[in-house]
Amino acid sequence: AQFGVYRNAYRARLRGALRDNFEVLPLVMGDDAFDALANAYIDSHPSTHYSLRWFGHALSNFMAIQEALVDHPAMVDLARLEWALRTAFDAAPAVLLTPEELAAVPAHEWAQLVLGLQPSVQLLDLQWAVGPVWHALKSGAEEVPPPEALAHHVLVWRQGMQTQWTSLTPTETVFVQCLRGRKSFGAVCMALSKHVGEENA
């Protein structure tokens, strides 16, 4: 009987951890639906890390294959966005380049220059416009717009102690993908020239 009490408390603590790590998703789903999802996830992905901060890393993938537990496919993208923001907040700090440092690079070295992204930066490939839903619920709005189907990319990062995200245009997506692929500055400009022309690139 005493062990049963502990077991129930353990599952309740894990459900609470998921609510902490995904703040907006429970608001969208409702308490009963989210608890059902959480219980199924706990059974399928028991906590293996000493910190509950990282519990939920596979939730969006789990939701994608457990369609019966998710009322709308946009919730999968919402979970991905929320986890990316959480991960960005805990990413390692990095020293950022200054305009003065870039200006000091000799012109003949730019073509081979490789620019890296800070560790918090993430690029998400989303199929639904979950941004308006996220903003509405974060601000406590009573009216939440229904999500619309929209294939697009979202950039997530941390600026100081604040996590941020923005939707990218196709050209911006190419730029970020090149940087993530550790391409040289010359190769980045070449890739961009196919979209905006050589001079604009």
Side-chain angles (χ1 to χ4, degrees):
Q2 291 175 337
F3 183 77
V5 171
Y6 171 79
R7 181 182 58 197
N8 291 335
Y10 171 76
R11 293 178 68 86
R13 184 68 187 92
L14 290 179
R15 288 196 299 269
L18 287 177
R19 287 182 178 274
D20 289 339
N21 293 334
F22 298 89
E23 298 178 9
V24 175
L25 185 61
L27 300 177
V28 174
M29 296 186 67
D31 290 338
D32 291 342
F34 184 79
D35 284 347
L37 172 65
N39 287 330
Y41 181 75
I42 292 168
D43 292 336
S44 179
H45 295 77
S47 178
T48 58
H49 197 276
Y50 69 89
S51 172
L52 290 180
R53 160 63 191 88
W54 301 106
F55 185 60
H57 70 282
L59 183 63
S60 61
N61 291 336
F62 180 75
M63 293 170 64
I65 62 176
Q66 297 292 331
E67 297 180 359
L69 295 172
V70 181
D71 290 337
H72 196 289
M75 294 181 183
V76 177
D77 277 357
L78 180 60
R80 294 184 63 202
L81 175 60
E82 289 209 277
W83 187 258
L85 289 168
R86 275 284 185 170
T87 305
F89 182 80
D90 286 334
V95 178
L96 303 182
L97 288 172
T98 66
E100 291 76 19
E101 289 173 315
L102 289 174
V105 177
H108 67 275
E109 294 183 6
W110 270 94
Q112 300 304 317
L113 192 66
V114 176
L115 300 172
L117 298 168
Q118 60 169 295
S120 70
V121 174
Q122 298 171 68
L123 184 64
L124 303 180
D125 183 4
L126 304 183
Q127 302 303 310
W128 292 87
V130 295
V133 176
W134 185 87
H135 279 300
L137 290 171
K138 287 287 286 186
S139 64
E142 296 182 1
E143 295 291 332
V144 178
E148 297 181 0
L150 178 65
H152 66 297
H153 288 84
V154 166
L155 188 71
V156 177
W157 76 99
R158 186 185 71 234
Q159 191 76 29
M161 296 300 292
Q162 297 293 323
T163 54
Q164 303 184 48
W165 64 269
T166 188
S167 297
L168 299 182
T169 66
T171 302
E172 291 170 336
T173 299
V174 170
F175 176 65
V176 175
Q177 288 173 334
C178 287
L179 294 182
R180 283 166 56 91
R182 303 292 294 173
K183 292 188 176 182
S184 67
F185 184 76
V188 173
C189 291
M190 184 68 68
L192 290 176
S193 68
K194 299 176 182 178
H195 297 264
V196 298
E198 186 173 332
E199 288 300 319
N200 289 328

